[in-house]
Amino acid sequence: MIHFVGAGPGAVDLITVRGKTLLEQADQIIYAGSLVNPELLSYAKKDCVILDSASMTLEDVIAAMETAEKLGWMTVRLHTGDPSVYGAIREQMDILAEKNIAYDVVPGVSSFCGAAAALKAEYTLPSISQSVIITRMEGRTPVPDGQKIADYAAHQATMVIFLSASLTEGLQKELMDGGYDSDTPAAIVYKASWPDEKIYPCTVATLAETARQNGISKTALIVVGKVLEGPYDRSLLYHPAFTHACRKAEPDTQQYGDHFKTDDHR
Ligand code: SAH
């Protein structure tokens, strides 16, 4: 059996309990060495076979899984953050299915959640943004038409940009071409949750300069949007004048003002 496990964003104690238990039981661990914290490997059994997939091809990874299966071993395929985000797991799962090898997936804390925690930010604020766009700059991996940074910038929603720390010059231009004001708040979060985590607050206009000055070219996320600063409306869910399935509105809520409408939020 193969378990695809999300390692979390970096800090060893941000893996799930289920993920840690599987690491402790694994006969073989294939981990994405470029981003997974190697300290996680200390959970492995003494005789566990450990492979770093950084220098392996898809074919090598599958071959290692097949060998383990023949020996009746359990393999953990350890991916950074959550495996569903830029994890390249689908291609592995499809081959395993063809070969009748059983697998499952254990989610992890994605680095975009790790970055929000580092920033102490809420990506979804009433009246500012109710959506989070997870995307990347086009690099050697092409991005389909209609899904470029400039297309998304037009929405003015919160954006979390992966895999683009070395492309901030172009990113900044696309964000502004797409419609973000140059003074829209932004932040570069380097190695969220790792001991050497760094946060560089900036604006869309100073993004590239901030990356350059601080020597950031990898292992970073770029967060853009007004949720990082500035005014917002308080939530309806916890507003005294708002009735919902678990709570009735207080009878006299005049004191709280009526700047919000309840109609479309039930
Ligand atoms: N599956 C991973 C993403 C893998 S793609 C996840 O859910 O987080 C690799 C990219 O993720 C990196 O280029 C960087 O943009 C981002 N990344 C991964 N870990 C990070 C961290 N701890 N801090 C900031 N960015 C990180």
Side-chain angles (χ1 to χ4, degrees), residues 61-116:
V61 169
I62 298 291
M65 290 173 171
E66 269 191 296
T67 305
E69 281 301 296
K70 284 191 187 124
L71 294 167
W73 288 3
M74 186 269 267
T75 296
V76 166
R77 176 68 171 111
L78 192 60
H79 283 275
T80 178
D82 182 82
S84 72
V85 182
Y86 304 113
I89 57 166
R90 173 70 190 272
E91 59 192 25
Q92 298 173 68
M93 295 189 296
D94 283 349
I95 299 175
L96 293 177
E98 257 171 43
K99 293 180 182 290
N100 277 317
I101 297 177
Y103 61 86
D104 67 7
V105 182
V106 178
V109 177
S110 178
S111 60
F112 83 92
C113 301

Side-chain angles (χ1 to χ4, degrees), residues 9 35 80-82 85-86 110-111 162-163 189 191-192 194 219-221:
L35 281 167
T80 178
D82 182 82
V85 182
Y86 304 113
S110 178
S111 60
F162 282 71
L163 296 159
V189 183
K191 293 189 88 172
W194 288 74
T219 329
L221 287 171

Side-chain angles (χ1 to χ4, degrees), residues 123-177:
Y123 288 146
T124 53
L125 286 175
S127 76
I128 304 296
S129 179
Q130 289 292 287
S131 313
V132 186
I133 296 171
I134 290 170
T135 188
R136 63 171 300 169
M137 277 287 277
E138 186 162 57
R140 284 194 290 175
T141 302
V143 168
D145 282 346
Q147 296 181 26
K148 308 278 194 254
I149 297 283
D151 299 315
Y152 289 132
H155 293 279
Q156 303 281 306
T158 306
M159 277 174 100
V160 184
I161 302 146
F162 282 71
L163 296 159
S164 305
S166 63
L167 303 168
T168 47
E169 203 84 49
L171 173 61
Q172 174 175 329
K173 185 173 180 311
E174 280 208 45
L175 287 167
M176 295 204 282
D177 288 352

Side-chain angles (χ1 to χ4, degrees), residues 220-238:
L221 287 171
I222 292 134
V223 181
V224 180
K226 290 196 185 126
V227 292
L228 293 177
E229 256 176 41
Y232 60 92
D233 290 346
R234 62 174 289 177
S235 72
L236 294 177
L237 189 63
Y238 293 104

